[in-house]
Amino acid sequence: MRDFAIIKELPQAALARWASIFFSLSVLTFLVSIAASQLCLTLASLLYFAYLLYTKPTPVIRFPPVKLPLALFCVWTVISLCFAEFPAAGGFTIRKLTLFLILLLTVNLISSARHLLFLFKALFIEAAVAGAVGAVQFVRQYQAVRVQHPHKIYLYMTVTRIVGFQGHWMNFGGQQMMMFAALTAFLLLAAKWRPVAPAASESGEQSKSRTRLWWIALVVVTLSILLNLTRGVWLGCFFAAVYLIARWRARWLWAFPVLIALTLVVGPRMLQRREESVLHPSRDTSLTERFEMWGVGWRMIKKHPLVGVGPENIPGLYDFYLPPGKVAILGYHDHLHDNFIQLAAERGLPCLAAWLWLMGAFLVYCVRVRRKLSRLKWVADAGIAMWLALMIEGVFEFNFGSSPVLMVFLFLISAPLVAEIVERPVSTTQLE
């Protein structure tokens, strides 16, 4: 019943209150339906801007300290589209820039620590449910493949992976990776910074029971990540876990190489083959395909260093940037499976520089906010761990270009500033 008190803590102005409600609904559908989430995000944005125009509040708005690099990134994306071979193809990328409104809405419409914690816990539960759905999908896919292709189980399981509630396994894996980082931060670090005395309305046994449920949720999310069979996601989770373990109990870092060795020796054969494929790229077409894509990207960058070939223009121009006489490896060529190469090839080196500045600014302000927080310090740690996971996985996947992944990232990376606002008086909060 305590969570219903959140309603009383929402903004008092009607337009702002409804904007907060629709934004909360958008967050709550991140992992379930991209269409529903973006519809709620649109309604929240319209209501919030109507509130700003109608009431002219003071201060007007809060925003994470990333305005300049974000503006440069957006402007250069538009400029690159103007010089593209096929400008019409980039319309979707331009519309996707509106997702950055999540940064604005998060820090202005989440009204209290209780509100923020409610959204986090709801996402944790949804991630566990999505993970359970993914596990069921894996079992069904495995049974079907074992009957239809008994001698090629590994091949078919890696090309028909689990998707949870998402339309593609990369979106599902990317979202679960970030929820893994946030849930691990919550479990390991929230208790470290919360007051020692339990809440008056909750007994010690109730608290332990709830903690056990969150650990079960983490196990389900972790299992779904393993069954997703996406190596970049595994690597991102590894670095996120290393950071969080170092913050929690650094002496336990020795366990990571032991766990990896155990999975290589006694783990399920499918997981072993997936890990071993990294050491033998010539045996894995997905890795050789990536090498080809990155070569194409480098040639695009050399020819168009300032504005790239244009947003969403890579599929139509891919074959023209292959070496003479070379035929493209059969596979997915709509993007280059690397955030850095993709942005430079698609939008030019200045846009890549703006993006690197933006991502660096995100990390810097999370670190700075972390130093100021007390009981919500884990929120900043979750943001840092999730940032690490996204950047590491982004070496092997264009995850920044995935709307379902980007929406979760923008919410989690702006949550530390919300934590600072609700912990400290508004008049003393450092804003850009």
Side-chain angles (χ1 to χ4, degrees):
M1 294 297 292
R2 288 182 302 161
D3 289 334
F4 287 102
I6 296 171
I7 297 174
K8 298 179 181 179
E9 298 172 351
L10 296 179
Q12 295 301 308
L15 286 173
R17 175 173 290 238
W18 280 107
S20 181
I21 291 171
F22 276 110
F23 179 67
S24 298
L25 290 174
S26 177
V27 173
L28 294 175
T29 50
F30 279 168
L31 309 183
V32 179
S33 170
I34 185 67
S37 182
Q38 292 190 353
L39 174 62
C40 291
L41 179 64
T42 300
L43 293 173
S45 301
L46 292 174
L47 287 166
Y48 183 65
F49 285 121
Y51 162 74
L52 292 178
L53 290 173
Y54 181 73
T55 63
K56 297 181 174 58
T58 303
V60 179
I61 56 173
R62 306 181 182 95
F63 201 84
V66 298
K67 287 188 286 190
L68 183 54
L70 176 59
L72 291 174
F73 174 76
C74 294
V75 168
W76 207 266
T77 296
V78 175
I79 291 174
S80 68
L81 182 65
C82 297
F83 290 89
E85 183 78 17
F86 310 108
F92 178 71
T93 296
I94 302 302
R95 292 194 297 274
K96 193 183 295 185
L97 296 177
T98 59
L99 295 180
F100 287 101
L101 287 171
I102 292 172
L103 297 171
L104 172 70
L105 300 180
T106 299
V107 298
N108 288 280
L109 296 179
I110 296 180
S111 51
S112 66
R114 196 199 312 265
H115 189 182
L116 180 65
L117 190 59
F118 170 78
L119 293 178
F120 266 96
K121 288 183 175 180
L123 286 175
F124 296 157
I125 294 171
E126 290 175 11
V129 173
V133 170
V136 172
Q137 291 171 348
F138 183 88
V139 172
R140 290 179 176 175
Q141 289 174 5
Y142 182 81
Q143 291 173 340
V145 169
R146 190 172 60 176
V147 172
Q148 299 170 13
H149 309 280
H151 303 297
K152 296 183 178 180
I153 293 177
Y154 174 78
L155 173 63
Y156 280 91
M157 289 301 294
T158 54
V159 297
T160 58
R161 297 177 229 170
I162 60 176
V163 299
F165 295 118
Q166 299 301 310
H168 195 278
W169 63 73
M170 286 295 185
N171 295 338
F172 175 64
Q175 287 187 335
Q176 292 295 88
M177 174 184 71
M178 290 186 286
M179 296 317 303
F180 167 84
L183 182 50
T184 303
F186 172 71
L187 280 167
L188 297 184
L189 301 175
K192 183 177 180 180
W193 301 110
R194 73 164 63 105
V196 176
S201 59
E202 182 176 62
S203 68
E205 285 301 319
Q206 288 176 321
S207 178
K208 290 179 181 178
S209 177
R210 289 191 178 189
T211 301
R212 283 194 292 268
L213 290 176
W214 292 125
W215 277 107
I216 292 172
L218 179 60
V219 169
V220 174
V221 171
T222 303
L223 177 63
S224 71
I225 289 170
L226 291 174
L227 297 181
N228 186 245
L229 298 176
T230 303
R231 292 158 298 187
V233 170
W234 292 355
L235 196 60
C237 289
F238 173 79
F239 278 89
V242 166
Y243 170 78
L244 293 171
I245 293 293
R247 286 292 188 190
W248 177 62
R249 299 281 191 275
R251 63 179 180 271
W252 283 99
L253 288 174
W254 62 266
F256 281 97
V258 174
L259 288 174
I260 294 172
L262 284 175
T263 59
L264 286 170
V265 175
V266 299
R269 182 56 187 157
M270 191 177 298
L271 297 184
Q272 289 181 16
R273 289 189 63 181
R274 202 66 177 148
E275 290 179 287
E276 291 167 358
S277 65
V278 178
L279 305 176
H280 305 284
S282 61
R283 302 179 191 174
D284 191 319
T285 56
S286 68
L287 290 174
T288 54
E289 183 185 4
R290 275 175 168 77
F291 294 147
E292 178 189 276
M293 291 176 179
W294 297 341
V296 167
W298 281 117
R299 284 184 282 276
M300 289 178 173
I301 295 168
K302 289 178 182 178
K303 189 169 182 179
H304 305 280
L306 292 180
V307 293
V309 298
E312 306 294 335
N313 274 235
I314 285 175
L317 299 173
Y318 187 90
D319 290 344
F320 294 101
Y321 289 88
L322 290 167
K326 173 88 163 132
V327 177
I329 298 173
L330 184 63
Y332 184 82
H333 301 139
D334 282 11
H335 59 73
L336 301 176
H337 287 77
D338 181 290
N339 283 335
F340 307 87
I341 297 176
Q342 173 77 23
L343 291 172
E346 194 180 58
R347 313 180 199 187
L349 291 173
C351 193
L352 173 63
W355 182 77
L356 291 172
W357 183 5
L358 172 65
M359 298 304 289
F362 278 136
L363 179 62
V364 168
Y365 97 73
C366 278
V367 172
R368 288 178 176 173
V369 167
R370 184 187 180 278
R371 296 170 184 162
K372 304 173 185 178
L373 294 174
S374 55
R375 60 192 175 89
L376 293 176
K377 192 182 291 287
W378 69 269
V379 176
D381 284 319
I384 295 169
M386 179 272 308
W387 182 94
L388 280 171
L390 184 98
M391 294 297 284
I392 295 298
E393 197 224 349
V395 176
F396 308 98
E397 179 61 37
F398 184 38
N399 52 20
F400 199 80
S402 164
S403 295
V405 174
L406 180 61
M407 293 173 77
V408 176
F409 170 78
L410 293 174
F411 171 72
L412 293 179
I413 204 67
S414 52
L417 186 54
V418 178
E420 183 190 10
I421 292 170
V422 299
E423 274 201 2
R424 304 172 65 213
V426 174
S427 60
T428 62
T429 300
Q430 296 294 324
L431 298 172
E432 185 182 3

